[in-house]
Amino acid sequence: MRPPRRAAPLPLALGLSLLALLAARGADASVHEYAGGGGFAPRANSFFFHGGSEGLYASDPSSNSSASFIRFDTVVFRRTQESASRHEEMQQKTGLVEAIIVEIQDRDKIGGSYLHSDAICCTPELDKEKSCRVGEVIIRPNPDNPEWPKRIQTFFEGKNEETTMLPRLVSINKTGMYYLYFMFCDPQLKGLKITGRTVWRNPQGYLPGKMAPMMTFYGFMSLAYLALGLLWFIQFVRCWKDILQLHYHITAVIALGMCEMAFWYFEYANFNSTGTRPMGITLWAVTFTAVKKTVSRLLLLVVSMGYGVVLPTLGGITSRVAALGFIYFVASEALELVENLGNINDFSGKTRLFLVLPVAILDATFIIWIFSSLSRTLEKLQLRRSMAKLELYRKFTNSLAVSVLISIAWIGYELYFNATDPLSELWQRAWIIPAFWNVLSYALLAIICILWSPSRNPTGFAYSEDAGEGADEEGLSLVGSAMKGTGDMVNMHIFPEDKRA
């Protein structure tokens, strides 16, 4: 009866994940969809709609196939009937909407700050000074590139309630973080709605600039896990008759890591070549990561409690452990979806924070419970004078403590990185943040594989319910039971910031 109960959370989490993906399908990949009829927000004397932002690399001039661009596809503006009725049928240019593309370093060139004005749209006073045109957004051209920031104008005609932006492809010839805004200055257009989409492409494919290096990284990590797996398998076969339970757990961890990296590599490769995110692969990759994180934490917890070493079962706390694992899986699954869709869906900071907090609280719960359990387990082993088990549990505790300290230090760096880069100007280095967690996990797993490599030593020291004093012969049994948590700990990201783009 136990297997069905353990598997029960998965269908529910898969269903939640699928619903989240379906809800966001209008903005998948590097295609920014405006399918909901988005409205414009007031800002100073203008109204704006954020059309998207991404890091883009400059086009390769030596190759036509390596172009970097932003393409406008069937972008439609719809004004209110009241606004349209204020004009005559034969009138031309009865409303202006502008698409403004700006590289983040040129953000001070939008608006009248250089004219000592807080206005974003040109005013009659500024028009008299011939600094701008009334009804248009104030833009000061870049001296080094007079065509930028880019302005694309679309007009309403007569009493038409709807106008369509002409298809337009804007080439990107400078590497940078680009923001797209749709803006208008005429208060009579208040209530304007936008539909359509824009497509953003880098020279090597459709992956957003922040995510592009991760495809290569996942490819290398897949090969690294494959190499480690082959070396482990060779030693595993050589010592087949002397295999401990620990070795099966390490094998499973290597397989989990290999599959996870491969899933992410193929997901990114498909995304990069087609421009759309493959729902099936993305769902599997996200779920695979959430499952691995949850299982790693649960195994680490039960091993810290002394399960299989000083306790034959978890007793009455089994349901509490299972409940914590289920809640963590659901929260982690939701966060992973946002983390891996947020680069192109422009999820708000509040949405992400709402999902990060539960995972952070649950991670803190796991850590407190793990270390308190380790403390009790070490105390029991010391009282029983089980020196071999005590020594190995001390190594286990030390390795966990070092991992936590490194994680805290890196999280401090992440906080500093994000605090000093609110506009993603350092987007080319952002991939290092999630990559670090994978490298740390792999390094720890490789160390464990070296330290606990299969050998030809006898394996006749199984777990015994006899809690005799000073049973040093229980050392190998400890390796088979307690260190399984260490193996899984290798792929455990101690804090929720382990998967960012």
Side-chain angles (χ1 to χ4, degrees):
M1 296 300 293
R2 289 182 180 177
R5 285 199 297 269
R6 286 196 297 267
L10 186 57
L12 177 58
L14 285 173
L16 293 174
S17 303
L18 184 59
L19 287 174
L21 281 172
L22 288 173
R25 70 179 184 272
D28 53 354
S30 54
V31 178
H32 292 259
E33 292 274 2
Y34 319 124
F40 286 69
R43 176 71 60 85
N45 63 339
S46 70
F47 296 83
F48 80 99
F49 176 85
H50 181 212
S53 59
E54 283 184 19
L56 294 173
Y57 292 93
S59 300
D60 184 356
S62 63
S63 174
N64 292 331
S65 61
S66 298
S68 180
F69 59 76
I70 300 173
R71 188 176 74 234
F72 294 83
D73 288 350
T74 60
V75 176
V76 178
F77 303 105
R78 175 177 286 276
R79 60 183 171 180
T80 63
Q81 186 176 9
E82 179 185 358
S83 176
S85 64
R86 294 174 180 173
H87 304 280
E88 298 298 329
E89 191 69 42
M90 300 304 294
Q91 275 187 283
Q92 295 181 344
K93 298 182 178 180
T94 57
L96 171 62
V97 184
E98 297 182 287
I100 309 294
I101 304 174
V102 58
E103 202 274 320
I104 194 61
Q105 293 182 354
D106 293 334
R107 60 187 179 274
D108 61 333
K109 293 179 171 57
I110 303 296
S113 58
Y114 77 103
L115 299 173
H116 308 290
S117 172
D118 295 330
I120 295 177
C121 292
C122 188
T123 62
E125 292 77 14
L126 295 174
D127 181 47
K128 290 179 182 179
E129 299 175 8
K130 297 185 178 180
S131 301
C132 55
R133 294 180 181 178
V134 173
E136 294 184 357
V137 174
I138 302 171
I139 295 180
R140 177 164 58 107
N142 187 331
D144 300 326
N145 191 357
E147 295 184 358
W148 287 85
K150 183 72 68 176
R151 182 205 305 266
I152 303 173
Q153 296 184 330
T154 302
F155 291 92
F156 283 90
E157 299 293 337
K159 302 178 68 171
N160 294 341
E161 295 181 20
E162 189 174 281
T163 186
T164 301
M165 187 176 179
L166 293 175
R168 182 75 176 268
L169 187 146
V170 179
S171 297
I172 303 298
N173 299 314
K174 177 187 174 184
T175 298
M177 172 60 70
Y178 287 84
Y179 281 73
L180 167 63
Y181 293 100
F182 296 97
M183 307 180 71
F184 66 86
C185 300
D186 186 356
Q188 293 184 2
L189 289 177
K190 189 174 182 180
L192 186 74
K193 301 293 184 181
I194 179 174
T195 57
R197 70 175 191 169
T198 54
V199 178
W200 306 54
R201 190 187 190 280
N202 270 293
Q204 304 305 321
Y206 290 97
L207 272 175
K210 278 198 213 177
M211 302 171 66
M214 290 301 294
M215 184 177 73
T216 302
F217 173 78
Y218 284 132
F220 277 117
M221 288 303 298
S222 297
L223 294 176
Y225 272 101
L226 179 61
L228 182 62
L230 288 175
L231 293 173
W232 179 262
F233 180 74
I234 292 172
Q235 188 67 11
F236 194 95
V237 172
R238 286 181 56 195
C239 306
W240 177 260
K241 294 183 179 179
D242 301 302
I243 292 299
L244 302 173
Q245 187 179 6
L246 161 71
H247 300 134
Y248 291 103
H249 290 294
I250 294 179
T251 303
V253 172
I254 295 174
L256 278 170
M258 192 185 306
C259 292
E260 182 190 22
M261 294 299 106
F263 266 121
W264 281 118
Y265 174 77
F266 286 116
E267 198 267 356
Y268 275 45
N270 189 296
F271 182 178
N272 191 55
S273 62
T274 65
T276 57
R277 203 150 198 178
M279 182 177 295
I281 300 177
T282 303
L283 180 60
W284 276 108
V286 166
T287 302
F288 212 91
T289 299
V291 168
K292 188 195 71 175
K293 290 169 62 178
T294 303
V295 171
S296 297
R297 284 157 173 74
L298 288 177
L299 288 175
L300 187 58
L301 177 59
V302 298
V303 169
S304 300
M305 291 176 175
Y307 176 70
V309 179
V310 297
L311 295 174
T313 66
L314 296 180
I317 62 173
T318 303
S319 58
R320 291 163 55 193
V321 172
L324 180 61
F326 170 72
I327 295 171
Y328 184 86
F329 174 76
V330 174
S332 180
E333 178 86 347
L335 178 61
E336 290 293 331
L337 284 171
V338 171
E339 287 286 347
N340 291 283
L341 294 175
N343 286 318
I344 32 89
N345 283 348
D346 302 313
F347 280 104
S348 68
K350 292 182 179 179
T351 300
R352 189 178 178 282
L353 181 63
F354 177 77
L355 296 171
V356 166
L357 283 177
V359 177
I361 293 172
L362 291 169
D363 267 313
T365 303
F366 267 113
I367 291 173
I368 294 172
W369 202 352
I370 285 169
F371 277 101
S372 62
S373 299
L374 275 173
S375 177
R376 289 192 295 270
T377 301
L378 287 170
E379 185 178 353
K380 290 179 182 179
L381 291 173
Q382 193 166 11
L383 290 174
R384 295 179 183 181
R385 300 182 184 275
S386 299
M387 302 312 296
K389 290 183 179 182
L390 182 62
E391 181 64 22
L392 286 173
Y393 254 95
R394 282 175 176 167
K395 291 180 180 179
F396 175 77
T397 304
N398 291 339
S399 63
L400 180 60
V402 169
S403 297
V404 171
L405 290 176
I406 293 175
S407 300
I408 292 174
W410 189 253
I411 288 170
Y413 172 75
E414 287 187 49
L415 293 174
Y416 169 78
F417 183 91
N418 292 327
T420 56
D421 186 36
L423 299 176
S424 299
E425 295 180 78
L426 303 177
W427 58 274
Q428 290 177 275
R429 288 189 286 173
W431 69 275
I432 298 174
I433 300 296
F436 170 83
W437 297 105
N438 289 290
V439 172
L440 177 62
S441 296
Y442 180 83
L444 290 173
L445 179 58
I447 291 173
I448 288 177
C449 288
I450 293 172
L451 294 178
W452 286 278
S453 176
S455 65
R456 299 187 185 279
N457 294 330
T459 60
F461 302 101
Y463 170 79
S464 173
E465 295 185 2
D466 182 14
E469 301 293 329
D472 281 6
E473 67 271 20
E474 294 175 345
L476 287 178
S477 176
L478 170 67
V479 174
S481 57
M483 291 310 297
K484 68 180 179 182
T486 307
D488 286 286
M489 178 198 68
V490 170
N491 273 352
M492 166 182 161
H493 298 169
I494 301 296
F495 289 92
E497 288 84 352
D498 55 343
K499 282 280 300 172
R500 297 183 178 170

